[in-house]
Amino acid sequence: MKQNRISYALAIALVGTIAVTGCKKKEEPVVAPPAAVEPAPAPAEPAPMPVSATGVTVGNTVAADKSVAAVGMFGVKDKIIVSVKTDATTPADATIEAKLTFQDGQEAGKQSATVKAEDAGTTNIEFTKATDWPAGKYKVDVTLNGQPVGMTQEIEVK
């Protein structure tokens, strides 16, 4: 009988343990609140160029308003005038450089001019030669503060 009592006691203890464990409330895991997400900063805009080129014209005569009529064909004794239209966005100076290259890539001339922001408008750069220009095709490249303005002009001397 002693064995029965011990068996009953163990069985009751086991059932009680299971009942207590089964009734125990499950604890929810603690979840941290989501962190505040900062929006990504907008990409910085590049600083505007103080003076920008808005047009390049190559000709051989200058009008009273400093404009130059476009000419594609020049005589061997003509002046070659590179006219650069500019627009100023901030009060700063800029340097315009015009480079004249002969058909074989040989540099035929290089001139520069400084543009004051308050004088932005039209800047003319003149190429002259004491002797005749060699006949052939030429290319005119213009830079503004060392950066190409993307307005290459091709001309011909006959």
Side-chain angles (χ1 to χ4, degrees):
M1 195 113 121
K2 261 186 173 187
Q3 253 187 346
N4 264 348
R5 283 188 189 177
I6 292 176
S7 296
Y8 286 129
L10 282 174
I12 291 173
L14 182 60
V15 170
T17 303
I18 293 173
V20 169
T21 304
C23 292
K24 193 175 191 183
K25 185 177 179 182
K26 288 186 180 178
E27 291 183 23
E28 294 292 323
V30 178
V31 177
V37 177
E38 294 284 325
E45 290 186 26
M49 288 286 288
V51 176
S52 60
T54 59
V56 175
T57 308
V58 181
N60 57 6
T61 56
V62 178
D65 65 351
K66 292 174 119 181
S67 66
V68 173
V71 174
M73 189 75 63
F74 291 82
V76 293
K77 296 187 182 301
D78 285 351
K79 284 190 259 186
I80 298 173
I81 303 168
V82 179
S83 180
V84 182
K85 290 191 185 276
T86 54
D87 183 27
T89 56
T90 58
D93 298 346
T95 300
I96 296 173
E97 186 174 85
K99 182 173 148 184
L100 189 61
T101 311
F102 191 57
Q103 60 196 19
D104 61 358
Q106 176 185 353
E107 188 176 297
K110 190 178 206 178
Q111 303 267 352
S112 64
T114 300
V115 179
K116 301 238 180 255
E118 62 272 9
D119 296 331
T122 302
T123 302
N124 294 327
I125 298 175
E126 237 179 70
F127 291 93
T128 57
K129 194 161 166 49
T131 59
D132 291 351
W133 290 103
K137 295 187 182 212
Y138 291 78
K139 183 170 79 168
V140 179
D141 290 301
V142 178
T143 61
L144 182 66
N145 291 333
Q147 299 298 314
V149 298
M151 299 176 202
T152 299
Q153 302 285 322
E154 292 187 10
I155 61 171
E156 189 170 356
V157 173
K158 284 198 172 195

